[in-house]
Amino acid sequence: WKNGSDPYGHPDVNWYDKVLKDQAGMQRYNLNISGGNRISRYFVDLDYLNQKGYFVTDPNNTYKTNNFYQRFIFRSNVDVELTKTTLLNLSLAGRIRNSNEPGATTASIFNNIMSTPNNAYPVHNFDGSLGGNNDYQNNIYGQAVRSGYRPAYNRNLMADLNVTQRLDAFLPGLYVKGTFSLNTYYDETLNRSKSFAVYNVIPRPGQDTLINKTGTDGQQNNSSAIADDYRQAYTEFLVGYDSTFGSHHVGVTAVGFRDSYTSVRNLPLVNASIALRARYDFEEKYLLEFVMSRSYNNMYHPDNRWGYFPAAGIGWNIARESWFRS
C-alpha cells in the first residue's frame, strides 16, 4: 500500500478523485421586456438555467450518464383596455425542467463514496474489468458510467384571465368581473438503468489466477413513472358596488366561484361557493362588515356537502382619530 507496487492486490483509491470532477459550470440567462401606452401594457420575461453535472463520464457511452439540470421559464403579463370601461388582464407562465442522473442514482453514489474504504477494491483490474467483491458489489466508478441513466421531465403551465367591466353609466361604483385560471403540472421519471458485474482478482503464485465474478451485466431497463400529474381550473363571477357619500363609504360584493382539482394521486376535488359581502365605514375610522356564504365540497357525504358560513366584524381605526395623529 505504501509504495503502490500492487495496485490490484493492495488498492489505495481516492474515490472522490476517481468519480467527481473538480468543478461544474452553471449558466443563467434572463431577458425581460416591458412597455405599453394608455390602452395596453405588457411585461415579458424569459429565463434559462443550465447546471452541469460533476460526475466523470465515459466517451464510449452513446447516452448521457452525468447528472445535470436545465430549466426554462416564460412569463407574460398583459393589460388591455378594450373600451374605456372594460379592462382585460392576461397572465401566462410556463416552466420546463429537465434533469438527469446516473442509473445508480446520485444519492447511492455519494453514500458509497462516504462508506467505502480506499482499500476495498481497485477501480479496474489488470484486464480492464471493474473491481469489486462480495462485500463491495457496486463499483463506484461503474455506478457513475456503467449503470445507465435516469432522465426526468417536469412541465408546469399557468394562465389567469380577468375581465372587468365598469357599469358607472347605470350606477356609479357598480362593476362586474369574470375570472378564469388554469394550472397544470406534469412530472415524469424514466428508468434507463442497468446492472454490471464486478470481478475480484486473486493472484496465486504457482497457480492460475482466481477470478471471482459478482453480479451480472444486465440489459438496460426501459420503464417510466408519472410522479405527479394534476390540473386545477378556477372560475369566478363577481358583481361589486363601491361608492363614497361624503364621510360614508359603502361596498357590496356578490361572488360565485368553482375550483376543481384533478390528480393522478387523489380523487377529484371540487370546491364551490356563493357569497355576499357588505361593508361600511365612516371616515375610515369606524368599520362594520358582514359576510354570508353558501359553500360546497364534494368530499363530504351528499347530505352534508353544502353549508352556510356567516361572519361579522367591527373595527376602530384609531390612527384616523384627529387626537391620535400627533
Side-chain angles (χ1 to χ4, degrees):
W1 277 306
K2 183 175 182 179
N3 58 27
S5 60
D6 183 17
Y8 305 115
H10 296 77
D12 184 11
V13 182
N14 185 325
W15 289 109
Y16 285 93
D17 291 344
K18 290 295 182 181
V19 178
L20 300 179
K21 298 178 180 179
D22 291 334
Q23 56 188 318
M26 183 180 73
Q27 305 172 60
R28 183 174 181 181
Y29 305 94
N30 182 272
L31 171 67
N32 59 72
I33 306 171
S34 61
N37 50 36
R38 184 186 61 82
I39 297 177
S40 63
R41 294 157 296 280
Y42 64 89
F43 171 80
V44 178
D45 182 81
L46 303 174
D47 190 277
Y48 172 69
L49 173 67
N50 184 14
Q51 171 69 64
K52 297 293 185 180
Y54 35 78
F55 289 126
V56 296
T57 57
D58 186 346
N60 294 321
N61 286 329
T62 58
Y63 47 82
K64 295 180 179 179
T65 60
N66 207 345
N67 58 337
F68 64 81
Y69 176 80
Q70 289 181 320
R71 186 192 66 196
F72 305 85
I73 294 179
F74 165 79
R75 183 166 186 88
S76 173
N77 300 326
V78 178
D79 297 336
V80 180
E81 295 185 11
L82 301 178
T83 69
K84 291 184 178 180
T85 59
T86 308
L87 176 64
L88 181 146
N89 309 103
L90 177 63
S91 297
L92 299 174
R95 181 180 61 188
I96 298 175
R97 293 184 288 180
N98 302 325
S99 62
N100 189 63
E101 66 175 345
T105 74
T106 301
S108 177
I109 294 175
F110 269 95
N111 285 334
N112 287 336
I113 288 177
M114 292 186 289
S115 61
T116 302
N118 289 18
N119 63 346
Y121 54 86
V123 179
H124 294 97
N125 297 309
F126 64 88
D127 59 355
S129 61
L130 293 173
N133 50 58
N134 287 330
D135 294 327
Y136 298 94
Q137 301 180 15
N138 287 317
N139 182 293
I140 303 176
Y141 178 82
Q143 286 188 307
V145 302
R146 303 277 184 87
S147 65
Y149 64 110
R150 293 176 183 264
Y153 306 97
N154 183 289
R155 307 289 185 264
N156 199 189
L157 175 64
M158 296 164 284
D160 296 315
L161 176 65
N162 296 279
V163 179
T164 303
Q165 176 66 56
R166 299 196 306 273
L167 301 174
D168 295 323
F170 299 95
L171 178 65
L174 182 66
Y175 64 94
V176 295
K177 181 180 179 182
T179 299
F180 174 75
S181 296
L182 178 67
N183 183 13
T184 64
Y185 179 83
Y186 181 79
D187 190 6
E188 181 182 14
T189 57
L190 306 181
N191 182 1
R192 302 290 185 264
S193 64
K194 62 180 181 180
S195 62
F196 56 88
V198 297
Y199 299 84
N200 183 21
V201 178
I202 304 175
R204 296 187 298 177
Q207 302 181 60
D208 293 336
T209 300
L210 181 63
I211 301 178
N212 293 326
K213 178 182 178 181
T214 303
T216 58
D217 292 311
Q219 295 294 321
Q220 192 171 62
N221 289 301
N222 185 17
S223 64
S224 64
I226 298 177
D228 204 354
D229 182 11
Y230 71 76
R231 180 173 60 257
Q232 185 176 15
Y234 178 86
T235 55
E236 177 185 293
F237 182 74
L238 181 147
V239 179
Y241 173 73
D242 197 296
S243 189
T244 300
F245 307 93
S247 299
H248 306 275
H249 178 227
V250 177
V252 180
T253 303
V255 60
F257 75 82
R258 184 179 189 274
D259 189 10
S260 64
Y261 180 90
T262 58
S263 169
V264 296
R265 294 181 173 273
N266 302 288
L267 294 172
L269 172 65
V270 177
N271 285 309
S273 183
I274 302 172
L276 176 67
R277 176 189 180 192
R279 56 195 185 280
Y280 165 81
D281 71 75
F282 177 76
E283 294 183 345
E284 298 183 354
K285 290 190 293 186
Y286 313 114
L287 317 172
L288 179 64
E289 185 171 336
F290 173 78
V291 177
M292 170 61 77
S293 71
R294 177 167 168 77
S295 299
Y296 168 89
N297 187 298
N298 70 318
M299 288 294 182
Y300 291 99
H301 186 276
D303 296 337
N304 297 297
R305 291 179 177 175
W306 286 95
Y308 288 97
F309 301 92
I314 58 175
W316 176 28
N317 189 354
I318 192 173
R320 289 289 182 176
E321 298 286 359
S322 57
W323 53 265
F324 186 83
R325 294 178 182 177
S326 60

